[in-house]
Amino acid sequence: MNVVLGVSSGIAIYKAVDLLSKMRKEGWDVQVIMTENAAKLVSPVVFSAVGNCRVFTDTYEIESGWIIHTELSKWADVFVVAPATANTIAKLANGFADNLLTTTALAFQKSSKIIVPTMNTRMYENPVTVDNLKRIQQLGWYVLEPESGHLACGEVGKGRYPDNEKIIEFIKIIVSEKPLAGRRILVTAGPTQEEIDPVRFISNHSSGKMGYAIARVAKMLGAQVCLVSGPTCLTVPYFLDEVVFVRSANEMYHEVLERAGGYDILIMCAAVADYAPSSRSAGKIKKIEDKLILELVKTPDILAALGQRKKGNQIVVGFAAETEHVVENAIEKLVKKNIDVIVANDVSEAMGKDTNHVYIISRNKAVVEVEGTKDEVAKELLLRICENFC
Ligand code: CTP
């Protein structure tokens, strides 16, 4: 993918050097345009060395017969301005073409135009900037909102440059194809925790990575996504449509069942506890007896309940966490729970890792083996569901 990174003179400019490095690590071809003032803050040599790319600052630079702004605007698939100052935003919102960045932006006709506003809060909240940001969105620019927190000027408020990982993810969402546009997908992820007393619980080793990958990739592919998550240490993708946090199997059951009717595809990836203590001690259980016997009772089976209630074209997908006879046991679950697809894996291999090795099994018992990063497995699963059922 060809990216033009436009850099204006926000004080967060030093972070744009790392953004460029991250873009290169993604395998993107990048060329940089810096405004004259940006080049006073950080030398173009730094950008050029880090990005191993060309850096342009001057509209009138002689580039062996090239007209830089028209050539760059034709070459780029994506145009990103980060950081974008109030001044550059004002110019872009009003069609100014007074430097190489604004001129190239004006000549850029594709839809993937992204802006990362970064400035002092009072400048950001000034009605003129608010208006310019509205206008720029009407003109087709995607605006990644700044974050709130400590600003370089010592004030606290909205205007901070977001994490570069977030910017990269935002770009990926905008440029990826959208085969799942119009689909509504609900995903569960992570373990559940079943409380014994105020300080103890029963849980499992699920990291939530597979479910989060499905939710994130589904959104990138254009779906409307709701994630119902048990407790995990993962960063929640900020761009999902709804995120519901739960602790226990019971809570997950209620939150999922309440929403299920509004979704076309239900993917139950969570490692739900099968048993929970029959009662929760109000106080911490003291170490008095030599033996402690806990009574456990079955939790509701969310997937089976969805399989029972599914209507019309709704697709229900389950996961089978197995340690032996992976495919056979999974097929048994698919039939017993009356679902459409089951994804089987050997959990002793996959838990906590960034990769997975799964078997995607449909009702006609066709088995497809998929191996890769959890993002790759998620994409393959979603595209197969879409191809075969939607
Ligand atoms: N599941 C569920 N509710 C439960 C338990 C499991 O919705 N109370 C779902 C999981 O999210 C998964 C599927 O059922 O999609 C299979 O989970 P798994 O743990 O592999 O199997 P179980 O049905 O719990 O059976 P077993 O533990 O005996 O293998």
Side-chain angles (χ1 to χ4, degrees):
M1 184 164 81
N2 294 342
V3 181
V4 164
L5 173 62
V7 179
S8 62
S9 63
I11 208 69
I13 184 171
Y14 67 99
K15 296 182 183 172
V17 176
D18 175 57
L19 174 64
L20 173 59
S21 160
K22 289 199 160 55
M23 286 175 164
R24 298 287 290 130
K25 283 183 192 141
E26 288 292 330
W28 301 344
D29 270 334
V30 189
Q31 305 207 52
V32 178
I33 302 175
M34 298 178 76
T35 62
E36 199 181 320
N37 286 337
K40 286 182 195 162
L41 297 181
V42 172
S43 165
V45 176
V46 176
F47 279 93
S48 176
V50 169
N52 199 248
C53 64
R54 294 202 290 183
V55 179
F56 301 91
T57 50
D58 180 4
T59 315
Y60 303 101
E61 203 173 305
I62 298 169
E63 252 299 310
S64 58
W66 251 44
I67 300 176
I68 304 173
H69 64 284
T70 55
E71 290 302 325
L72 279 184
S73 57
K74 272 192 283 182
W75 171 83
D77 303 306
V78 184
F79 196 105
V80 183
V81 185
T85 58
N87 186 40
T88 291
I89 293 166
K91 290 179 185 179
L92 294 173
N94 291 284
F96 279 57
D98 64 343
N99 62 33
L100 189 56
L101 194 160
T102 51
T103 318
T104 311
L106 202 60
F108 182 76
Q109 279 199 321
K110 292 157 206 158
S111 61
S112 34
K113 302 185 282 188
I114 295 156
I115 195 147
V116 184
T118 313
M119 65 196 78
N120 167 275
T121 308
R122 281 171 285 118
M123 293 169 77
Y124 180 70
E125 288 172 357
N126 190 308
V128 74
T129 308
V130 173
D131 266 4
N132 285 332
L133 281 167
K134 248 190 225 152
R135 170 127 184 85
I136 208 169
Q137 289 181 78
Q138 284 160 359
L139 293 169
W141 287 81
Y142 293 93
V143 176
L144 179 58
E145 276 198 30
E147 293 183 351
S148 296
H150 282 275
L151 303 171
C153 54
E155 293 176 33
V156 176
K158 201 163 178 179
R160 271 174 67 87
Y161 183 92
D163 284 346
N164 282 323
E165 287 79 11
K166 193 168 169 179
I167 301 176
I168 296 282
E169 207 144 50
F170 191 69
I171 297 169
K172 285 187 189 170
I173 291 172
I174 286 158
V175 300
S176 54
E177 283 180 39
K178 305 282 183 277
L180 299 185
R183 304 272 161 225
R184 291 161 301 165
I185 303 184
L186 186 147
V187 185
T188 63
T192 62
Q193 292 178 353
E194 312 303 326
E195 290 202 10
I196 299 170
D197 69 13
V199 293
R200 302 182 179 97
F201 55 78
I202 298 173
S203 191
N204 58 62
H205 289 303
S206 167
S207 64
K209 286 180 181 172
M210 191 66 238
Y212 275 54
I214 294 172
R216 195 172 50 241
V217 172
K219 186 69 202 170
M220 285 183 186
L221 297 178
Q224 182 193 318
V225 180
C226 171
L227 172 69
V228 180
S229 172
T232 74
C233 298
L234 303 175
T235 309
V236 181
Y238 66 94
F239 44 80
L240 300 181
D241 299 282
E242 191 185 8
V243 182
V244 183
F245 295 103
V246 297
R247 280 195 76 180
S248 65
N250 245 314
E251 279 176 47
M252 187 174 273
Y253 175 85
H254 289 295
E255 297 294 349
V256 169
L257 270 280
E258 194 181 302
R259 289 169 176 76
Y263 289 86
D264 312 310
I265 302 169
L266 307 166
I267 305 179
M268 299 297 105
C269 188
V272 186
D274 290 335
Y275 291 93
S278 56
S279 65
R280 173 188 184 273
S281 166
K284 185 184 167 206
I285 298 173
K286 301 301 283 179
K287 189 176 54 181
I288 297 166
E289 308 295 340
D290 283 345
K291 263 191 187 172
L292 175 72
I293 296 174
L294 277 179
E295 189 187 53
L296 303 178
V297 289
K298 247 190 190 164
T299 56
D301 192 314
I302 308 166
L303 184 64
L306 296 173
Q308 250 172 30
R309 287 163 206 220
K310 93 189 160 78
K311 282 196 198 107
N313 297 326
Q314 195 175 50
I315 308 299
V316 181
V317 182
F319 270 69
E322 305 295 344
T323 50
E324 53 194 357
H325 309 301
V326 175
V327 172
E328 295 79 355
N329 287 349
I331 291 177
E332 214 173 281
K333 282 178 192 168
L334 174 129
V335 175
K336 196 166 121 201
K337 302 198 189 194
N338 187 37
I339 59 173
D340 303 287
V341 178
I342 194 144
V343 183
N345 65 354
D346 187 333
V347 269
S348 51
E349 284 173 15
M351 271 194 173
K353 295 203 182 134
D354 292 323
T355 54
N356 208 348
H357 177 186
V358 304
Y359 300 89
I360 301 174
I361 308 164
S362 42
R363 266 186 106 82
N364 62 6
K365 311 218 172 72
V367 181
V368 178
E369 193 175 348
V370 181
E371 196 169 0
T373 64
K374 287 187 172 167
D375 276 8
E376 285 163 356
V377 170
K379 187 169 182 184
E380 189 66 32
L381 170 67
L382 289 161
L383 292 179
R384 279 186 182 277
I385 294 172
C386 209
E387 248 170 51
N388 294 318
F389 298 98
C390 301

